[in-house]
Amino acid sequence: MMAFTILMLFPILPLTIVALVFDLGFAPPPVTPLLPWKSLLVGLLLGLTFLLLMFDYVDAHLFQRINPIALPEKIAIRLHFLAMLASFGMFWLHWRKRRNLPPPKVEIRL
């Protein structure tokens, strides 16, 4: 859990804030070629910390120890997974936009 917290707070939180600032249009010119890859980088780092979080969850639940933070950890896992999927989704949408592909479309027919 300590490795998850350290990796989540120190490199990912500032990287996410920087990505948000770059999305608002405050990117310096030398960084602009790397902007399409920012969501992928955030997603990969979130994936790394997600693996650490899942390791802690499996370790705490398979060895029959008392886990006082079971409910908050389950909520954190779900929110973390959602953030990771959203980051990969943003990368996919930016990739489609760069290739001039139409936006994805979902149709439901009854």
Side-chain angles (χ1 to χ4, degrees):
M1 191 67 174
M2 183 62 78
F4 164 75
T5 306
I6 289 171
L7 279 174
M8 185 64 194
L9 290 180
F10 293 115
I12 293 179
L13 185 63
L15 182 63
T16 306
I17 292 171
V18 167
L20 178 66
V21 169
F22 286 172
D23 275 342
L24 295 176
F26 299 112
V31 180
T32 54
L34 302 174
L35 287 181
W37 300 97
K38 71 182 177 320
S39 296
L40 181 64
L41 181 62
V42 170
L44 290 174
L45 288 174
L46 283 171
L48 174 68
T49 55
F50 182 74
L51 286 176
L52 293 172
L53 185 62
M54 288 305 297
F55 176 75
D56 183 56
Y57 178 77
V58 168
D59 179 52
H61 284 79
L62 289 182
F63 295 118
Q64 301 298 325
R65 294 187 308 218
I66 297 173
N67 190 1
I69 60 166
L71 182 63
E73 191 172 28
K74 288 178 183 178
I75 293 171
I77 287 171
R78 286 175 175 92
L79 291 176
H80 199 89
F81 186 71
L82 183 65
M84 186 177 63
L85 284 181
S87 181
F88 288 137
M90 288 296 295
F91 173 71
W92 179 65
L93 288 174
H94 286 295
W95 192 260
R96 288 181 62 87
K97 186 176 182 181
R98 285 182 63 205
R99 293 179 150 198
N100 292 326
L101 295 172
K105 184 173 150 182
V106 176
E107 291 182 6
I108 298 175
R109 296 181 185 186
L110 299 175

